[in-house]
Amino acid sequence: AATAIPTDTPVPSAVSLVPLVPIVTYWSAQRTISRTDIALLLSGRRPTGSQAFTSLALAAVDASPLASALGVVVSPAVRLLSPAGVVAAVRASPATLGFIRAQDVSADVRALSVDGASLFGAGRVKSVAAWPLDVSSGVPSTFGIANEWTLTAGGDVNLDRSVFVQTVTNGKGAD
């Protein structure tokens, strides 16, 4: 019987696809961005006809995989931060575009669609494989699209308490 001989050669980790999400401040009017514009911004160039982002923030662990997926070199001007640091940078400035993993997206930022595909919301893609900004990583993602749901609400907010008094208490009704 053969015995295994231990070696100092590291065992390569499995590579998995990780969905990265471009994010902006919650109140931004920007809703979408193209892979072409992302590649230009990441490499330090400005795309024409889109919002003028003056700052890019990217989770450091995903800088190389994103650059590789887009075929560019990351500009030295891109801030490489922790995922929480990226969210904080985006929240602090409407001119900052950030990139974080899908599982790190929270309700206090706006996730942009990429080339018309959305990862969140009512019209989102049905599988992560359809997301146009997947990158290869040795650190697997914990995001599962089957675990996502969308809450949609509509209606009015009327802060005048006398409406209830007039319509219900005084019996005048809505008409």
Side-chain angles (χ1 to χ4, degrees):
T3 57
I5 300 171
T7 67
D8 291 333
T9 306
V11 177
S13 62
V15 174
S16 62
L17 288 179
V18 173
L20 291 186
V21 180
I23 59 169
V24 292
T25 184
Y26 179 80
W27 298 107
S28 174
Q30 180 117 5
R31 298 291 187 262
T32 189
I33 192 166
S34 69
R35 279 178 57 101
T36 302
D37 284 356
I38 292 170
L40 288 170
L41 289 164
L42 193 60
S43 64
R45 294 174 285 165
R46 298 279 176 232
T48 57
S50 72
Q51 179 173 336
F53 293 108
T54 58
S55 176
L56 251 64
L58 175 61
V61 69
D62 296 318
S64 181
L66 179 59
S68 178
L70 296 173
V72 298
V73 174
V74 177
S75 166
V78 174
R79 295 188 297 167
L80 302 178
L81 307 167
S82 67
V86 173
V87 171
V90 164
R91 290 180 66 208
S93 171
T96 299
L97 175 65
F99 294 90
I100 56 176
R101 291 174 176 227
Q103 71 257 19
D104 296 323
V105 173
S106 56
D108 56 344
V109 294
R110 179 174 305 284
L112 298 181
S113 65
V114 177
D115 290 336
S118 297
L119 195 57
F120 301 99
R124 68 181 174 266
V125 294
K126 301 301 181 207
S127 75
V128 175
W131 179 241
L133 207 54
D134 285 333
V135 299
S136 297
S137 176
V139 181
S141 173
T142 60
F143 178 77
I145 204 158
N147 299 329
E148 296 299 313
W149 53 275
T150 300
L151 173 66
T152 304
D156 297 351
V157 174
N158 191 332
L159 302 177
D160 184 1
R161 292 184 182 148
S162 68
V163 171
F164 179 82
V165 172
Q166 290 296 320
T167 58
V168 178
T169 306
N170 296 343
K172 294 186 177 179
D175 57 331

